[in-house]
Amino acid sequence: MIPARLGSKRLKQKNLRSLLNVPLLTRAVRKCKAANCFDSIWVNADDESFARIAREEGVNYHPRPAELANDTATSEEFVEEFLHTHPCDLIIQVHSIAPLIQADRVRDFVDRFSHSSADIFVSVLEEPLECLHNGAPVNFSLGSKQNSQDLEPVKRITWGLTGWRRERYLAARSAGRTATWDGEIGTYTLNRFEGHVIKTEEDLQLAECMATIIGME
């Protein structure tokens, strides 16, 4: 499932913006097709422009209800609505705003999740430097100075790739729990390029530079 929404604020219509002259959503669809590991591929979105890309690329389109496409709707809600409509064992969410993740990594993510005991599988970027939260140390001590290579890296969730087991997700929602984090959580580490997520115009510009460095087409 590739989510997309027309009304993004920080970067207008970000899923339709282009990276090296190819729209981000189109890149995500082609990446999922190239991964060759899905029973079906769905664009879950709220506008005809997204439906047109899905048709052109030969994948399915799920029209997201209007009430789940505004600023207050959460992924908890639109993932649940999608899962009620489309029976499956696993759902893999592939975000178009993480365009530097390649098809082979998507395939490996799916393989590792499907062979794990995890209920939730998330892509992460490991930060091997000292990290603070509200002024307090997260992975180091104020009582000593450690070399960065000796620190326990903080795992920052990127949302580029996320997987859930459908039955567990829907059971959690039905019980009033937070389905996104319900159950055993597994992590999948991305590199610096793959972990780059586009939220702003600057992010898109950086992605263009990175794509050129790694030789993306």
Side-chain angles (χ1 to χ4, degrees):
M1 183 193 73
I2 305 168
R5 189 170 68 89
L6 197 64
S8 54
K9 289 188 173 180
R10 283 176 288 181
L11 182 60
K12 300 295 185 182
Q13 300 184 3
K14 63 186 175 187
N15 295 283
L16 298 175
R17 294 293 298 272
S18 291
L19 176 68
L20 302 182
N21 299 315
V22 179
L24 293 178
L25 181 60
T26 302
R27 283 191 173 277
V29 171
R30 292 176 181 175
K31 175 167 53 185
C32 289
K33 291 172 67 176
N36 194 31
C37 60
F38 298 114
D39 295 316
S40 59
I41 299 170
W42 292 83
V43 172
N44 180 350
D46 63 338
D47 189 81
E48 173 58 27
S49 56
F50 300 128
R52 183 170 60 254
I53 289 176
R55 289 193 299 269
E56 290 172 350
E57 297 298 321
V59 299
N60 305 294
Y61 179 72
H62 175 86
R64 190 184 306 183
E67 65 272 17
L68 298 181
N70 55 40
D71 290 337
T72 60
T74 67
S75 60
E76 281 270 300
E77 296 166 318
F78 74 71
V79 171
E80 178 188 22
E81 190 272 337
F82 182 88
L83 288 176
H84 275 306
T85 309
H86 305 287
C88 59
D89 295 318
L90 306 177
I91 179 173
I92 308 298
Q93 180 175 264
V94 179
H95 260 297
S96 63
I97 58 173
L100 304 184
I101 301 174
Q102 302 297 300
D104 59 339
R105 294 286 270 163
V106 175
R107 184 167 54 250
D108 189 54
F109 178 93
V110 174
D111 182 67
R112 292 191 185 214
F113 178 33
S114 62
H115 288 92
S116 75
S117 61
D119 300 294
I120 310 107
F121 214 56
V122 292
S123 58
V124 299
L125 185 62
E126 295 193 358
E127 298 289 354
L129 297 172
E130 290 90 341
C131 294
L132 294 167
H133 178 68
N134 290 333
V138 175
N139 61 336
F140 69 102
S141 171
L142 297 178
S144 63
K145 178 64 180 77
Q146 293 176 273
N147 292 326
S148 58
Q149 65 266 27
D150 297 326
L151 296 175
E152 181 71 24
V154 171
K155 295 183 177 182
R156 176 169 62 83
I157 296 170
T158 70
W159 298 112
L161 300 170
T162 317
W164 295 279
R165 297 191 186 276
R166 177 178 183 269
E167 185 176 342
R168 179 71 182 241
Y169 192 101
L170 291 179
R173 288 291 293 169
S174 180
R177 301 192 300 269
T178 302
T180 301
W181 304 120
D182 193 76
E184 181 183 342
I185 301 172
T187 61
Y188 184 88
T189 301
L190 302 175
N191 66 38
R192 288 281 166 183
F193 295 105
E194 297 165 333
H196 181 68
V197 174
I198 297 171
K199 296 283 190 178
T200 66
E201 188 70 39
E202 182 183 39
D203 293 336
L204 183 57
Q205 293 170 4
L206 285 171
E208 288 270 1
C209 296
M210 293 179 183
T212 301
I213 290 172
I214 65 177
M216 273 182 62
E217 297 180 356

